[in-house]
Amino acid sequence: MGRVGEKLGIDFVISTGDDFYKNGLKGLHDQAFEESFTDIYTAKSLQKPWYLVLGNHDYRGNSLAQLSPVLRKIDDRFICMRSFIVNAELVDFFFVDTTPFQLEYWTHPGKHHYDWRGVAPRGKYIANLLKDLDVAMKKSTARWKIVVGHHTMRSVSEHGDTEELLKLLLPVLKDNGVDFYINGHDHCLEHISSRDSPLQYFTSGGGSKAWRGIFRPNKDKLRFFYDGQGFMSLQLNQDRAHFIFYDVFGNILYQWSSSKTGHPRTSTYLDEE
């Protein structure tokens, strides 16, 4: 990641959640923060802002500690919030807290404890989140709109599709012309194209515990699937988005581009394999 980051001259890094495995942070002074973040991403090119969402494993720890601005005093790169927007002029990144959507975590947590402080009751939290997201997207004048969440919307790997997101979140994305949905959760790399909208789904969850050996195709168009570890880069300009998936050594596994022509509100998409 460091070498690729240097080559591309990156502006910032995005983490798609499950930042601290396996049960989040115990508190503000948990050594896991340094062991899993500060001491790992030491390359000069990665000394940029990191924007992070919570994953389900983060919710199994002290989620309020992980969201605390105190962590930014320990490492000023670390910017983690529940749901927020990063405005980068030609693109708006909408970070969405997807863990509360999954009903199973609430009704059948099993041996796990989820830290729902600041979230419960679920229905009200999700309704407010979707309303705020819709309003923010309608106000956005950015050329590109990208949503980042932890959970899969579409996936052919172990977790597969997240039905609650397809039912509740996806309509908001389609209604507001979102270009890309980027997620983690499944421990692999994927690119899936929606068959009924221009929306593209990218899974970048290959940080660890990969090689699951599970493949479950769905009805959308699978363009790329790598059941292993790696990461993704995205380069954007006014007219083109260029995605690259890499393995752990920085070798390019797959790349894909999308071009926009015309006025932002009446864009036509030109896929480039």
Side-chain angles (χ1 to χ4, degrees):
M1 281 180 66
R3 290 197 300 270
V4 170
E6 185 175 358
K7 181 181 175 184
L8 297 181
I10 60 170
D11 296 300
F12 53 85
V13 183
I14 285 173
S15 171
T16 54
D18 281 357
D19 309 306
F20 301 100
Y21 226 82
K22 191 171 189 183
N23 294 308
L25 293 177
K26 295 186 182 75
L28 291 173
H29 305 290
D30 190 335
Q31 283 185 319
F33 182 77
E34 281 93 351
E35 290 170 355
S36 289
F37 182 68
T38 301
D39 296 345
I40 299 295
Y41 303 106
T42 56
K44 186 178 179 181
S45 67
L46 303 179
Q47 307 308 304
K48 298 287 174 70
W50 281 61
Y51 299 105
L52 309 95
V53 288
L54 295 176
N56 51 301
H57 285 269
D58 299 313
Y59 264 101
R60 291 179 189 174
N62 185 333
S63 63
L64 295 188
Q66 190 167 327
L67 296 167
S68 172
V70 171
L71 294 181
R72 288 197 68 183
K73 295 178 180 176
I74 300 171
D75 191 322
D76 63 4
R77 296 177 293 171
F78 192 84
I79 304 166
C80 184
M81 292 175 270
R82 287 199 206 274
S83 295
F84 58 104
I85 300 169
V86 173
N87 174 264
E89 294 183 12
L90 61 88
V91 55
D92 276 341
F93 287 91
F94 300 89
F95 290 78
V96 176
D97 183 22
T98 59
T99 301
F101 282 82
Q102 192 138 350
L103 188 60
E104 183 184 19
Y105 299 146
W106 298 79
T107 58
H108 296 86
K111 65 179 186 290
H112 303 297
H113 168 77
Y114 291 87
D115 184 3
W116 296 127
R117 288 177 296 170
V119 175
R122 174 179 177 269
K124 184 178 180 182
Y125 179 79
I126 291 174
N128 287 335
L129 192 162
L130 292 173
K131 180 184 174 185
D132 291 346
L133 180 65
D134 186 56
V135 169
M137 284 181 171
K138 284 181 168 45
K139 285 182 180 176
S140 172
T141 58
R143 178 73 156 161
W144 302 90
K145 292 189 182 80
I146 300 175
V147 173
V148 178
H150 174 64
H151 288 77
T152 54
M153 193 85 77
R154 288 290 201 197
S155 173
V156 299
S157 192
E158 182 179 18
H159 292 300
D161 300 351
T162 304
E163 294 302 325
E164 294 92 337
L165 294 185
L166 294 177
K167 179 182 176 183
L168 300 169
L169 181 60
L170 183 56
V172 179
L173 272 54
K174 286 184 175 179
D175 187 49
N176 288 286
V178 168
D179 299 289
F180 313 119
Y181 177 75
I182 300 172
N183 60 271
H185 199 44
D186 262 333
H187 298 218
C188 60
L189 306 174
E190 301 177 85
H191 174 204
I192 296 173
S193 292
S194 170
R195 291 198 186 275
D196 61 4
S197 78
L199 192 59
Q200 306 290 323
Y201 306 102
F202 292 90
T203 296
S204 182
S208 67
K209 298 192 77 174
W211 314 110
R212 297 296 173 98
I214 296 172
F215 176 70
R216 302 190 188 112
N218 58 31
K219 293 178 181 177
D220 278 337
K221 182 180 179 181
L222 178 65
R223 291 178 178 266
F224 174 73
F225 173 59
Y226 178 68
D227 184 34
Q229 294 177 308
F231 58 99
M232 184 182 88
S233 70
L234 168 59
Q235 294 165 281
L236 280 169
N237 62 29
Q238 189 73 9
D239 303 314
R240 188 168 177 261
H242 186 56
F243 290 84
I244 304 178
F245 280 115
Y246 307 85
D247 67 13
V248 291
F249 303 106
N251 299 313
I252 293 176
L253 299 171
Y254 170 81
Q255 46 190 323
W256 179 87
S257 294
S258 176
S259 298
K260 278 193 180 191
T261 60
H263 190 273
R265 299 208 178 276
T266 55
S267 299
T268 54
Y269 293 79
L270 305 173
D271 289 356
E272 303 163 21
E273 290 292 358

